[in-house]
């Protein structure tokens, strides 16, 4: 009963997906909706898998500093791996979730210098946090200042002076004297002077226009003049005048008029006070955020002083009573029964084929991805569907609670969502080029420095047999269309070992594939790769200021397909014919060469000329498709024969003599 009773302030597991790990939240409020359901207003806590790789690096650096300062005992690699699953990051993000999604309680504590990190691994459902994550700004900050304990934080106390020695320090530089209790005035005289100071303050507020608007009544002016600012000014006046009442009276009322002393309650307007109350409701007593987001024109000291003066007003008492009444009307606790529905990822559907990943109980060859056990009462599918991985019951519970596997694997990173880079299928060409290591000179030099020896991947006999026996699982054609999707080779081989005894009874048809020799392949490739003339170099047509600065090697490596007319005269990319007759010196014959990724130039943009666009109009739709499918072949265009001009008849003149016009 007590385990299923959840109260405000408890850290609980929330389930928002059947396959993802639990969300860890802290209950702030329990509200009952109009339809009778209970919603929990919770504070979000994030795991390492929920933040970016850069922030994970920052968290690792913070963890190393903590281990060095607190002198933690040495840990194994597996303990360090599991300890990352116990670390959380607090945030100020709130959300409302149905209370029926609660799946249990957990314990979250602030990491202390005296804590031993391995102690968190020994306790179940125990987490810690030391940094605060901002989901909007994507930053990690320390939660609060450390307790300064130790010799480096203590003051250095000088030795005590002997009775005969005198103090040579300058007292005025060390401290300022503001009150002398051994003065000549008596306590009744001091009280009378303070009454006079309050009366002068009330009269000064009556003369001031802005104060008369804020305190229109005499009672409000007298109350404002009775605050500490007036009394402090009166006592400072006595100290400065040597506790002479006559001089102090004249200082309170100089020739220009009475002195008016105001505190933060009078300096702030009503709208500023409302902004402060709104900020206090949102951030609490975090005065830095209150000043930064709501009152940037106020100083931090002014905000702090106003808070402590605001606590003495009736406004604070009224809000405190309203909050108490509102808290009484809200739910204090809620009972959530244990969730007993089966998980959709649970393997054990009736009618499942033996040996598949959906079979129940023990199956030979199939093991847990985390602990590698082959025996479990219940199995759960885990990871991407194409991976066909599964977890045992204990590892599945660990995955749901701690958001990781007990042992580090390569498949664990494939299940992360939300924070990793998007798939390249949904990215533009510029974004994919930006992710490539060849785009930066440093990455290109690093890759070029690697050894470029040729290597061959040779499959084993078992792998070749598994391709035939487990065609329904492997789906080679589908895998060939999606080369970026990984294949669980261990699961395929294990399934092959189960099916192989049955498949051995029937002879397998092995179709030999005739393969030509390497010499014939080289000759055929040499025939299919015709010689290509170099286009005459000319100034390219610049379309932007970046194209002018591109290297010339880019245009030489990435050429456009030439156009050939019916007569066999090839046209260059700009539509101009090559020079006939002898080949020029800059038009030497070159062989087709493959551009390496390390030497790949920057992207080049080609601009079609008027002649090229005119030639495209003479291509049919079939020829355009054929040219797109085979970009290595030249395109031949049959230009229309121009029409012959009609002969102009010559009309003989009637006489050959010139015609003379007289005026």
């Amino acid at each position: 009963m007590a385990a299923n009773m959840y109260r405000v302030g408890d850290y609980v597991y929330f389930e928002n997906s059947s396959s993802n790990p639990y969300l860890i939240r802290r209950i702030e409020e329990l509200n009952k909706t109009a339809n009778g359901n209970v919603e929990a207003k919770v504070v979000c806590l994030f795991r390492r898998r929920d933040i970016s790789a850069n922030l994970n690096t920052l968290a690792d650096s913070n963890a190393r500093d903590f281990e060095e300062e607190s002198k933690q005992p040495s840990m194994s690699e597996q303990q360090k791996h599991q300890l990352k699953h116990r670390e959380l990051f607090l945030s100020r993000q709130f959300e409302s979730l149905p209370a029926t999604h609660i799946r249990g309680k957990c314990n979250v504590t602030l990491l202390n210098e005296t804590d031993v990190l391995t102690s968190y691994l020994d306790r179940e459902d125990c987490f810690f946090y030391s940094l605060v994550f901002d989901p909007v700004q994507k930053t990690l900050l320390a939660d609060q200042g450390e307790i300064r304990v130790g010799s480096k934080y203590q003051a250095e106390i000088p030795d005590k002076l002997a009775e005969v020695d005198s103090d040579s320090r300058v007292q005025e530089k060390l401290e300022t004297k503001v009150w002398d209790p051994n003065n000549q005035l008596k306590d009744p005289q001091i009280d009378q002077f303070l009454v006079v100071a309050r009366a002068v303050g009330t009269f000064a507020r009556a003369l001031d226009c802005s104060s008369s608007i804020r305190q229109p009544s005499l009672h409000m002016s007298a109350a404002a003049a009775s605050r500490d600012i007036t009394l402090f000014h009166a006592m400072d006046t006595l100290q400065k005048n040597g506790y002479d009442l006559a001089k102090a009276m004249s200082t309170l009322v100089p020739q220009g008029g009475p002195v008016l002393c105001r505190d933060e309650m009078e300096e702030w307007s009503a709208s500023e006070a409302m902004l402060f109350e709104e900020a206090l409701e949102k951030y609490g007593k975090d005065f830095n955020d209150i000043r930064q987001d709501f009152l940037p024109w106020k100083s931090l000291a002014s905000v702090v002083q106003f808070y402590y003066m605001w606590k003495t007003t009736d406004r604070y008492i009224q809000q405190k009573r309203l909050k108490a009444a509102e808290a009484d009307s809200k739910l204090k606790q809620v009972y959530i029964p244990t969730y007993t529905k089966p998980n959709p990822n649970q393997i054990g559907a009736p009618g499942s084929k033996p040996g598949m990943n959906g079979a129940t109980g023990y199956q030979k060859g199939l093991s847990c991805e985390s602990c590698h056990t082959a025996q479990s009462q219940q199995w759960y599918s885990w990871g991407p569907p194409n991976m066909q991985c599964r977890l045992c019951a204990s590892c599945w519970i660990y995955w749901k609670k701690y958001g990781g596997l007990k042992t580090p694997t390569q498949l664990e990173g494939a299940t992360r969502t939300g924070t990793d880079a998007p798939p390249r299928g949904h990215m533009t060409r510029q974004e994919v080029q930006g992710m490539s290591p060849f785009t930066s000179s440093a990455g290109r030099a690093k890759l070029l420095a690697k050894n470029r020896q040729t290597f061959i991947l040779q499959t084993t006999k078992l792998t070749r047999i598994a391709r035939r026996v487990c065609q329904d699982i492997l789906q080679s054609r589908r895998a060939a269309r999606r080369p970026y999707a990984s294949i669980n080779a261990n699961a395929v081989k294990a399934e092959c070992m189960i099916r192989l005894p049955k498949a051995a009874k029937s002879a397998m048809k092995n179709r030999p594939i005739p393969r030509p020799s390497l010499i014939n392949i080289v000759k055929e490739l040499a025939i299919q790769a015709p010689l290509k003339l170099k286009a005459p170099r000319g100034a390219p047509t610049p379309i932007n200021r970046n194209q002018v600065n591109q290297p010339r090697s880019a245009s030489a490596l990435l050429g456009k397909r030439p156009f050939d007319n019916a007569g066999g005269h090839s046209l260059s990319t700009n539509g101009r014919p090559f020079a006939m007759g002898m080949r020029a010196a800059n038009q030497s014959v070159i062989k087709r060469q493959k551009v390496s990724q390390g030497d790949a130039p920057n992207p080049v943009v080609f601009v079609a000329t008027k002649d090229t666009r005119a030639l495209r109009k003479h291509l049919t739709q079939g020829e355009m498709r054929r040219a797109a499918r085979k970009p290595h072949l030249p395109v031949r265009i049959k230009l229309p024969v121009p029409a012959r001009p009609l002969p102009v008849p010559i009309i003989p003149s009637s006489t050959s003599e010139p015609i003379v016009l007289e005026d």
Side-chain angles (χ1 to χ4, degrees), residues 19 48 68 102 111 234 300 304-305 307 339 356 367 379 420 428 451 458 460 482 502 505 515 534 553 555 591 654:
S19 58
R48 275 181 172 261
E68 293 176 359
I102 297 177
L111 186 62
L300 184 61
V304 174
Q305 290 179 10
Y307 168 73
Y339 189 77
M356 296 293 293
S367 60
W379 296 94
D420 292 344
T428 61
N451 192 2
Q458 186 176 4
T460 61
R482 304 174 63 191
K502 299 180 181 179
K505 297 178 181 179
R515 301 182 183 274
K534 264 191 176 182
S553 60
S555 60
K591 294 184 179 180
S654 59

Side-chain angles (χ1 to χ4, degrees), residues 214-233:
R214 296 179 182 178
Q215 292 94 16
S217 64
L218 179 61
H219 297 283
M220 297 177 65
S221 299
S226 300
R227 285 199 286 265
D228 294 339
I229 187 66
T230 305
L231 302 181
F232 290 160
H233 176 67

Side-chain angles (χ1 to χ4, degrees), residues 88-162:
L88 301 177
F89 303 99
L90 186 65
S91 72
R92 291 174 182 160
Q93 180 177 342
F94 291 86
E95 62 181 4
S96 295
L97 297 174
T100 53
H101 289 187
I102 297 177
R103 296 294 180 264
K105 293 182 181 180
C106 60
N107 184 23
V108 181
T109 58
L110 177 63
L111 186 62
N112 195 3
E113 294 180 356
T114 59
D115 293 343
V116 180
L117 294 177
T118 54
S119 63
Y120 290 95
L121 300 177
D122 301 334
R123 292 176 287 176
E124 194 74 16
D125 302 326
C126 190
F127 301 87
F128 66 89
Y129 73 93
S130 60
L131 300 175
V132 177
F133 173 62
D134 189 351
V136 179
Q137 302 294 334
K138 305 296 182 183
T139 55
L140 281 178
L141 299 174
D143 179 49
Q144 61 182 12
E146 58 182 354
I147 301 176
R148 297 185 175 182
V149 178
S151 58
K152 59 181 179 180
Y153 299 113
Q154 304 302 319
E156 296 181 0
I157 303 175
D159 297 334
K160 185 179 180 181
L161 295 176

Side-chain angles (χ1 to χ4, degrees), residues 637-654:
I637 304 173
K638 294 181 180 181
L639 298 176
V641 180
R644 295 182 178 179
L646 297 176
V648 180
I650 301 173
I651 303 175
S653 59
S654 59

